[in-house]
Amino acid sequence: MSEEKQPEKRSPTLFRNYISFAGALIVTATVVSIVLLFLIELTQTANNPYLGIVTYIILPAFLAFGLIVIVIGMLLERRRRRRSPSSEIAAYPKIDLNEPRQRRLAIALLALSFIFVCASAFGSYRAYEYTESVEFCGQACHTVMKPEFVAFHATSHARIRCVDCHVGHGAESYARSKLSGARQLFALVGNNYSRPIETPVHNMRPANETCEQCHWPSKFHGAQPKTFNHYAYDEQNSLRQTRMLINVGGGDPASGPVAGIHWHMNLANEITFIASDKQRQVIPWIRVKDRNGKVTEYNDRTRALSAEEIATGEKRRMDCIDCHNRPAHAYLPPDVAVDQSFSAGRLDPSLPYLKKQTVEVLNKPYNTEAEAINTIASGLDDFYRTNYSQLYAQKTDTIKSAISETQRIFKTYFFPEMKTNWATHPNNIGHLYSSGCFRCHDGEHVSDTGKVIRNDCNICHTVVSDSARPVTIPKTIDFQHPVDLGGLADRKCESCHKANEPFRHPLNLGDISMFQCVECHPKQ
């Protein structure tokens, strides 16, 4: 009787070790977590920045770590067995697909590898897509980027992604932006980032790659009507309404006259300047090359540069963002924000001194947003409760609504933790609260031939009507300050409006501070 063949005794797989078991637990837990979070992402309606970070960045890193742990455990187990006297492990694995067991393992390995590669490709794309999202840019580092994120949603560009303006096309731009993001991450971890976050003026993409993808630079716009509503600081919150024609014009002779504000963007013109500060608010030298090739250089006679400074200075060709420098992150001054709320009906002008009180509480220095919200509520409530008790009883809901709106203004445009507000980020459109147009149109930039860049108001806008000076026959009128400024009439707007609060005389007037201006500044 023949002896039965005994089945070949197989040694346990290299996977059977504690290190690989630990790696398998990590991989299993990670995969389950990724699937669950992905399903949550599919079912939720609002975007959550932290969910995306965990699902597509943090958990995949743990998954890769678990796989590495499994491989390390198997290698260590193989080394241990080979050192054993009774070990029969060959130097290299024996692969024989004719053996059913190895064939099944090979098929299973290929199937799992295919699934893993597909999942990795999908996850990598989703990770890339997520890092390009507005939520990732604005909310991943909540405190740091909160000012930019909140102000962004209050502008007309709120539906444009951050990367459309801040990151260029192609792999090079993407890699550069992620390296910059890595540096910012280290600054965040080390708590050594700037407060406020500096505007990346010198790293902004050219306007022809950003603004001009939506806006048509050569289009002739002509004169655009605009109405300015300004509420006074008096008891009645008196409205002064000014209607102007903004002389936008155009910059291409093929589509209209080359005139108006957009003359600067005439494709045949070339305006180059040197700025002496990071924010490009001080411009001591300008060179204009017109469509005929004529070159004119202007120097600020109050801060003229030497020939060497002009030769070595960083020269920039003017484009859209030199004027439209806050298109997507505008921090409104309280005076402007409150006027807009009055015009929109969110503040009731029937509440006495509401303009004065709201601007006053918005302008106070605060250390935290919570402190500001509480002070705004108590300040406005106490003012009307103390000074207008009868009105307070009649219009309690209106006063509460005014408090809520003032708090909303603060949370939209003021960020004390990051030391960010309208004053830290000047807006170059206009010239009331920062130099803006007057950086060049200040009457101080003169060419060698004596030609001056004028600061005539009618260059950029034409006043059609002014409720402070009603006219019986429609006609254009020159802008006139509501108060006769006398010898101060030639000063820039920003010299008095820079505090953005109820006007305070530069001199301490004592008991006569309540006099009308014209009593000391009679008309000439």
Side-chain angles (χ1 to χ4, degrees):
M1 187 174 182
S2 61
E3 189 175 310
E4 292 185 5
K5 185 178 181 181
Q6 297 294 326
E8 182 181 353
K9 184 178 181 181
R10 296 187 179 92
S11 59
T13 64
L14 297 177
F15 176 76
R16 298 184 63 177
N17 63 85
Y18 292 115
I19 296 177
S20 296
F21 283 165
L25 290 175
I26 295 174
V27 170
T28 303
T30 303
V31 170
V32 172
S33 300
I34 290 176
V35 172
L36 290 176
L37 290 178
F38 179 70
L39 293 175
I40 292 173
E41 184 185 31
L42 290 178
T43 56
Q44 71 173 3
T45 56
N47 289 323
N48 186 324
Y50 305 106
L51 183 63
I53 291 175
V54 172
T55 306
Y56 300 113
I57 298 178
I58 296 178
L59 286 180
F62 275 98
L63 176 62
F65 173 74
L67 293 173
I68 293 173
V69 170
I70 291 175
V71 174
I72 291 175
M74 294 176 70
L75 292 175
L76 293 176
E77 177 66 12
R78 180 181 178 81
R79 178 185 297 179
R80 186 189 69 79
R81 293 186 186 182
R82 291 199 66 192
R83 289 178 178 177
S84 175
S86 60
S87 174
E88 298 181 359
I89 297 178
Y92 298 98
K94 295 180 180 179
I95 301 176
D96 184 4
L97 296 182
N98 292 313
E99 184 180 342
R101 180 172 177 270
Q102 290 197 23
R103 187 165 58 249
R104 289 193 298 270
L105 288 175
I107 294 174
L109 181 62
L110 287 174
L112 291 175
S113 299
F114 178 77
I115 295 173
F116 179 76
V117 170
C118 292
S120 298
F122 174 78
S124 299
Y125 175 76
R126 286 291 292 142
Y128 162 79
E129 187 180 53
Y130 179 69
T131 58
E132 299 282 281
S133 68
V134 173
E135 288 73 23
F136 176 80
C137 297
Q139 291 183 296
C141 303
H142 184 69
T143 301
V144 179
M145 298 306 295
K146 180 181 178 181
E148 286 73 16
F149 182 76
V150 174
F152 164 74
H153 280 91
T155 68
S156 58
H157 290 79
R159 292 192 175 184
I160 298 175
R161 300 184 307 165
C162 306
V163 295
D164 292 333
C165 293
H166 290 281
V167 180
H169 299 290
E172 180 183 354
S173 296
Y174 179 79
R176 189 187 306 116
S177 69
K178 298 314 169 189
L179 289 174
S180 175
R183 291 194 297 270
Q184 295 167 11
L185 180 61
F186 284 119
L188 176 65
V189 173
N191 194 30
N192 59 356
Y193 50 87
S194 62
R195 298 173 177 84
I197 296 296
E198 295 182 0
T199 301
V201 174
H202 298 275
N203 296 324
M204 289 297 294
R205 295 170 60 200
N208 62 340
E209 297 179 9
T210 52
C211 313
E212 295 178 17
Q213 299 302 305
C214 297
H215 301 280
W216 186 13
S218 61
K219 179 177 175 57
F220 179 75
H221 294 275
Q224 300 295 309
K226 188 169 183 179
T227 300
F228 295 88
N229 294 318
H230 181 73
Y231 292 80
Y233 293 98
D234 58 12
E235 187 174 15
Q236 292 76 32
N237 306 297
S238 302
L239 170 63
R240 182 189 182 187
Q241 191 174 77
T242 305
R243 290 187 174 90
M244 291 183 179
L245 290 175
I246 308 299
N247 302 325
V248 179
D252 186 357
S255 60
V258 179
I261 299 169
H262 280 185
W263 169 90
H264 299 83
M265 298 312 299
N266 179 5
L267 304 182
N269 286 336
E270 185 176 319
I271 302 175
T272 309
F273 65 88
I274 296 176
S276 58
D277 67 317
K278 285 185 177 181
Q279 292 186 317
R280 296 177 182 155
Q281 297 299 300
V282 181
I283 301 177
W285 179 87
I286 304 166
R287 180 179 64 204
V288 178
K289 180 181 179 181
D290 65 19
R291 56 189 302 183
N292 298 317
K294 181 182 177 181
V295 176
T296 306
E297 293 188 6
Y298 298 89
N299 284 278
D300 187 342
R301 51 191 168 194
T302 64
R303 50 171 73 90
L305 299 180
S306 65
E308 182 181 355
E309 289 174 322
I310 294 174
T312 59
E314 180 184 353
K315 298 177 179 64
R316 169 177 170 80
R317 180 171 179 177
M318 183 179 181
D319 67 9
C320 305
I321 62 173
D322 290 309
C323 290
H324 298 271
N325 67 318
R326 313 270 350 139
H329 305 286
Y331 304 99
L332 296 184
D335 181 58
V336 176
V338 171
D339 281 345
Q340 288 186 0
S341 293
F342 272 118
S343 299
R346 295 192 294 266
L347 289 176
D348 188 350
S350 68
L351 292 178
Y353 289 113
L354 182 58
K355 171 69 178 291
K356 181 177 183 296
Q357 292 301 313
T358 52
V359 172
E360 186 175 300
V361 294
L362 287 170
N363 266 318
K364 288 183 177 179
Y366 301 105
N367 294 319
T368 64
E369 182 180 285
E371 177 191 352
I373 297 305
N374 293 331
T375 303
I376 289 171
S378 59
L380 292 178
D381 188 83
D382 291 346
F383 174 79
Y384 288 105
R385 185 192 299 272
T386 303
N387 298 286
Y388 297 91
S389 56
Q390 186 175 356
L391 177 70
Y392 181 86
Q394 296 172 350
K395 294 193 171 185
T396 303
D397 291 341
T398 305
I399 294 171
K400 289 182 178 179
S401 177
I403 292 173
S404 298
E405 176 61 14
T406 307
Q407 292 172 331
R408 184 199 67 81
I409 292 173
F410 188 91
K411 289 190 289 186
T412 305
Y413 302 115
F414 295 80
F415 305 90
E417 289 88 350
M418 289 301 298
K419 298 180 173 59
T420 300
N421 57 33
W422 64 276
T424 59
H425 293 76
N427 194 333
N428 291 332
I429 291 295
H431 49 74
L432 191 58
Y433 300 104
S434 61
S435 295
C437 310
F438 287 159
R439 292 175 299 161
C440 301
H441 290 268
D442 58 355
E444 300 292 347
H445 288 74
V446 186
S447 70
D448 293 339
T449 60
K451 186 178 180 181
V452 178
I453 300 180
R454 297 179 297 156
N455 60 350
D456 182 359
C457 297
N458 291 320
I459 295 177
C460 295
H461 46 67
T462 304
V463 179
V464 177
S465 67
D466 186 343
S467 63
R469 296 188 297 142
V471 293
T472 55
I473 302 175
K475 62 179 182 179
T476 60
I477 57 178
D478 293 333
F479 174 76
Q480 180 176 321
H481 199 277
V483 175
D484 189 342
L485 299 178
L488 299 177
D490 60 347
R491 298 182 68 176
K492 295 181 182 179
C493 307
E494 66 189 83
S495 61
C496 293
H497 287 273
K498 61 184 178 181
N500 194 40
E501 57 187 12
F503 175 75
R504 290 185 173 86
H505 199 279
L507 301 177
N508 185 1
L509 300 182
D511 294 336
I512 66 170
S513 61
M514 298 304 294
F515 283 20
Q516 293 186 4
C517 302
V518 293
E519 297 182 49
C520 297
H521 297 278
K523 294 183 178 180
Q524 303 298 317

